[in-house]
Amino acid sequence: MYVIITYDVGEKRVHKVCKKLREYLTWTQNSVFEGSIGKGKLTRCMHELDGIIHADEDSIYLYQVNNPNHIQKKVYGQEKSFDDLFL
Amino acid sequence: MYVIITYDVGEKRVHKVCKKLREYLTWTQNSVFEGSIGKGKLTRCMHELDGIIHADEDSIYLYQVNNPNHIQKKVYGQEKSFDDLFL
């Protein structure tokens, strides 16, 4: 399946959440990751994120499409890569 | 169709982009909007955004699913509303 994950978490947890998501998905943009992932891996990823976030303050949105052909992506302006962050 | 739009734009244009997206979609989270929208309205929205952003610095990602039943959304932690921003 194909997923998009966006997060809005407390400053102290941004790095941990980002690092965890990089293990499973591709960084798209500030607070957004996406990619193809199997059901088992996704469950593990979300379980691990659940252990990092503070449920009363943070939020993570998971958008899930079973067939990657059902979602189209268009980029307006710059398509950024993770490496650009460190230039 | 159902769309998710995420943006990463220069500070000076954040307010304009946010205001424009609110005309067409629902605010989800920091830099993320989503909602059902017709093809004509979406074209207009993207055209208007194109006029706001600086293509060499900013980026807007549009994810588009024709059948809203093909996308599932799950929220972990807090589900925020736009009004929370002003509390």
Side-chain angles (χ1 to χ4, degrees):
Chain A
M1 72 184 82
Y2 200 82
V3 302
I4 300 157
I5 292 181
T6 73
Y7 58 89
D8 189 357
V9 304
E11 212 179 317
K12 285 182 185 169
R13 294 172 296 281
V14 168
H15 179 69
K16 272 191 181 174
V17 166
C18 189
K19 202 177 152 197
K20 180 54 66 188
L21 282 166
R22 282 191 78 190
E23 288 176 26
Y24 294 94
L25 298 165
T26 306
W27 182 87
T28 301
Q29 200 190 52
N30 185 27
S31 308
V32 183
F33 280 76
E34 66 180 281
S36 290
I37 188 169
K39 207 174 172 177
K41 272 197 174 177
L42 179 61
T43 305
R44 201 159 68 231
C45 174
M46 297 320 293
H47 180 73
E48 288 171 352
L49 287 172
D50 233 2
I52 295 171
I53 64 167
H54 290 190
D56 53 341
E57 292 176 50
D58 303 338
S59 61
I60 293 181
Y61 285 73
L62 164 66
Y63 300 92
Q64 194 174 319
V65 179
N66 288 331
N67 182 343
N69 296 327
H70 286 156
I71 192 162
Q72 286 127 46
K73 177 182 169 183
K74 281 184 202 163
V75 183
Y76 295 77
Q78 289 293 303
E79 186 151 16
K80 294 175 185 174
S81 78
F82 197 81
D83 299 332
D84 293 342
L85 289 177
F86 304 105
L87 288 180
Chain B
M1 71 185 82
Y2 200 84
V3 302
I4 301 157
I5 291 181
T6 74
Y7 57 89
D8 189 357
V9 304
E11 212 179 318
K12 285 182 184 168
R13 294 172 296 281
V14 168
H15 179 70
K16 272 191 182 174
V17 166
C18 190
K19 201 177 153 196
K20 181 53 66 190
L21 282 166
R22 282 191 78 190
E23 287 176 27
Y24 294 94
L25 298 164
T26 307
W27 183 88
T28 301
Q29 200 189 53
N30 185 26
S31 309
V32 183
F33 279 77
E34 65 180 279
S36 289
I37 188 169
K39 207 173 172 178
K41 272 196 174 177
L42 180 62
T43 305
R44 201 159 67 231
C45 175
M46 297 320 293
H47 180 72
E48 289 171 351
L49 287 172
D50 233 2
I52 296 170
I53 64 168
H54 290 190
D56 53 342
E57 292 176 51
D58 303 337
S59 61
I60 293 181
Y61 285 74
L62 163 66
Y63 299 93
Q64 194 173 319
V65 179
N66 288 332
N67 181 344
N69 296 326
H70 287 156
I71 193 162
Q72 286 126 46
K73 178 183 171 183
K74 281 184 202 164
V75 183
Y76 295 77
Q78 289 292 301
E79 187 151 14
K80 294 175 185 172
S81 79
F82 197 80
D83 298 332
D84 294 342
L85 288 177
F86 304 105
L87 288 181

